[in-house]
Amino acid sequence: MNVAISNHSEKPIYQQLFEQISAQILKGELESGYCLPPIRQAALELHVSVITVKKAWEELERCGLINTVTGKGCFVAEFSSDEMLQVRNETILKQMVNDASYYKSFGLTLNEVIELLKKVY
């Protein structure tokens, strides 16, 4: 698990953790059965609060990306290729809904958003 936290980001730290770990899972970098570090250990290593890590782990579990086994830890869920694609697309769509709302708040049209996206992609 490789995570980089930015204290200068507008995104909350738990969101940064969730996004980075979920991306690693969905890209196959963290394989099924991989055991995430315990919440307290992750908090110490990342220099963040236990509550922050707990919130990220809970969001990962809510999305079905990890499973918690009482007394043993949190493990990356098992996915077939089709399930992985479905979860990836659902995760991306959820983010896109938030992004679209943000862009709309600036009055941008779809074509303007597409043109801006082309510049950064």
Side-chain angles (χ1 to χ4, degrees), residues 14-15 18 22 25 36 51-68 74-75 77 79 87 90-91 94:
Y14 84 90
Q15 184 76 30
F18 168 77
S22 63
I25 292 169
L36 295 178
I51 295 168
T52 298
V53 176
K54 185 175 187 305
K55 193 169 183 179
W57 270 220
E58 287 172 346
E59 186 67 18
L60 289 165
E61 187 164 33
R62 190 174 13 263
C63 290
L65 295 171
I66 66 171
N67 298 312
T68 301
C74 297
F75 300 88
F79 296 102
V87 171
E90 288 171 2
T91 302
K94 183 179 174 185

Side-chain angles (χ1 to χ4, degrees), residues 41-114:
Q41 178 184 338
L44 283 171
E45 290 174 5
L46 297 170
H47 306 288
V48 298
S49 78
V50 169
I51 295 168
T52 298
V53 176
K54 185 175 187 305
K55 193 169 183 179
W57 270 220
E58 287 172 346
E59 186 67 18
L60 289 165
E61 187 164 33
R62 190 174 13 263
C63 290
L65 295 171
I66 66 171
N67 298 312
T68 301
V69 178
T70 305
K72 295 196 176 199
C74 297
F75 300 88
V76 173
E78 291 191 33
F79 296 102
S80 68
S81 296
D82 289 340
E83 290 172 325
M84 183 73 77
L85 184 61
Q86 181 180 352
V87 171
R88 184 194 74 177
N89 289 346
E90 288 171 2
T91 302
I92 290 168
L93 281 173
K94 183 179 174 185
Q95 181 63 46
M96 291 176 96
V97 166
N98 292 334
D99 292 345
S101 296
Y102 180 71
Y103 303 143
K104 286 178 184 178
S105 74
F106 284 98
L108 294 174
T109 67
L110 177 58
N111 287 335
E112 290 172 322
V113 172
I114 291 170

Side-chain angles (χ1 to χ4, degrees), residues 6 34-35 57 96:
S6 171
Y34 174 84
C35 183
W57 270 220
M96 291 176 96

